[in-house]
Amino acid sequence: MALAAVRDLRDVRPPATAEELEQFETDVLAGFVLARASAGLADGTIRGDVGHLEQMRSWFSRPLWEMEPPDTDAYFGKVLRASPSGTRLGRSQALSTYFLFLELRHKAEIHRMTGRVIECPIDEMNRPRGAKDAALRIPPSGPEVKTLFAGWGGELATCRKFAPTARNYTASTLMSQVGLRVSEACKLDLADIKWDLGPFGKLHVRHGKGARGSGPRERMVPLINGADRTLRWFIEASGASSTTTTPAPAPRCSPPSADAPTAPRAGSATMPCAAASRPRPRHICRPGATSSLRTSCGTSVRPSSTSVGLT
């Protein structure tokens, strides 16, 4: 068997035209977006990465797979020299991820079309240093939480609008007592209070946080740490069980003390408050209450003329 020299196939193939390379670059970027979406990344994260890539492509004026370490040295060392560290880190991470995608999916094809071997231009020498500011949140201590809600509860007697203030106080207290999220507390209805389940009653959280795009997950939350007293006080004070369309102004009564221990309900499976004898509508807040929990976050309140829940 005779030996023969191996010929490069690019010698007999026509070179890729500028239009073909442009179309190929567009297809590669579309494939990158689809791959990141299939990995479960949020749309905002993908848009951010694509925005970084487009800005670097605009500066480079050539396909990004032609970038080499000297090019990234010039870009991060001159163009982004005065930029915030977060911008530099995000842009370098987007470029590294893009080159990883090229190496895994299109390395052979790019070599066939251009003769270039893909290699990430971000290395240990020019990788931007630093880290994004850590969002460290130190939870308040127990005495600080008691002081907060004691002062908030004392203001209920003199606040201008009792109903929305009592609603915000109740929602925030539930978050502290049973660990609800803001989005979960906003979507609670009166029918979600299951007084007959367990020794203290339970909350049916219908719109719990999902995991990896699975959607809302339901769960039952026991009314511990005095959450049952908080809900009974809110229902009585705000007139949530009233079926009239124009209820009387809610009585301004003080919320229950957080220091009182929670006692298991004895025997009866009925709602342990006077509101149990009256028909209960679907929502917790009485008609005329405001329809946004965002006041507790520092934004405006939207007035509403309909009966809503803790929203």
Side-chain angles (χ1 to χ4, degrees):
M1 179 180 296
L3 297 178
V6 178
R7 292 173 31 179
D8 193 343
L9 292 178
R10 286 175 297 173
D11 296 337
V12 296
R13 288 176 177 170
T17 62
E19 292 76 9
E20 292 176 344
L21 289 176
E22 182 179 359
Q23 182 63 39
F24 177 70
E25 184 181 12
T26 303
D27 295 341
V28 167
L29 184 59
F32 174 77
V33 172
L34 184 60
R36 302 303 281 167
S38 65
L41 272 69
D43 292 343
T45 303
I46 299 175
R47 283 195 298 268
D49 289 345
V50 172
H52 287 314
L53 296 176
E54 288 178 345
Q55 293 191 47
M56 286 184 286
R57 175 63 171 83
S58 177
W59 171 83
F60 192 53
S61 301
R62 286 179 290 166
L64 291 179
W65 59 67
E66 296 184 10
M67 289 190 74
E68 296 181 353
D71 299 320
T72 54
D73 293 344
Y75 184 71
F76 288 99
K78 296 180 180 180
V79 180
L80 296 185
R81 180 67 176 176
S83 299
S85 60
T87 302
R88 295 162 54 85
L89 289 172
R91 198 150 298 179
S92 65
Q93 182 61 40
L95 185 62
S96 300
T97 305
Y98 181 67
F99 266 85
L100 178 60
F101 172 77
L102 294 178
E103 291 179 8
L104 293 175
R105 301 283 185 90
H106 303 284
K107 186 174 184 178
E109 191 170 5
I110 292 177
H111 181 266
R112 178 183 63 81
M113 297 179 66
T114 64
R116 181 178 297 274
V117 178
I118 292 297
E119 184 177 0
C120 182
I122 301 290
D123 53 30
E124 293 301 323
M125 296 302 298
N126 60 13
R127 189 182 308 275
R129 298 296 188 260
K132 293 183 179 180
D133 297 333
L136 179 61
R137 299 182 180 180
I138 301 177
S141 61
E144 291 175 337
V145 173
K146 290 182 180 179
T147 301
L148 169 66
F149 285 106
W152 197 349
E155 294 179 356
L156 291 173
T158 58
C159 63
R160 188 170 66 90
K161 292 184 178 181
F162 177 77
T165 306
R167 175 208 60 201
N168 296 343
Y169 172 86
T170 302
S172 300
T173 305
L174 287 178
M175 297 177 206
S176 172
Q177 291 171 334
V178 299
L180 293 181
R181 299 177 177 87
V182 174
S183 58
E184 296 171 347
C186 287
K187 298 177 182 179
L188 284 177
D189 292 332
L190 185 62
D192 295 329
I193 308 176
K194 310 298 181 182
W195 300 104
D196 55 337
L197 297 181
F200 311 111
K202 294 186 178 182
L203 273 178
H204 180 203
V205 181
R206 294 174 289 108
H207 300 276
K209 181 181 177 181
R212 298 184 180 276
S214 64
R217 292 188 177 183
E218 301 183 26
R219 73 178 189 276
M220 302 297 293
V221 178
L223 296 175
I224 57 175
N225 299 327
D228 55 340
R229 298 193 309 272
T230 300
L231 284 174
R232 287 197 295 268
W233 167 82
F234 176 72
I235 292 173
E236 290 292 334
S238 63
S241 295
S242 175
T243 57
T244 61
T245 56
T246 56
R252 300 199 173 203
C253 56
S254 299
S257 174
D259 296 329
T262 301
R265 188 181 64 257
S268 175
T270 59
M271 182 177 174
C273 64
S277 60
R278 301 194 296 267
R280 292 182 294 174
R282 177 174 177 266
H283 301 292
I284 289 181
C285 285
R286 64 186 180 87
T290 54
S291 62
S292 175
L293 185 62
R294 299 190 182 96
T295 50
S296 61
C297 301
T299 55
S300 60
V301 176
R302 294 184 314 219
S304 173
S305 59
T306 60
S307 175
V308 294
L310 283 177
T311 57

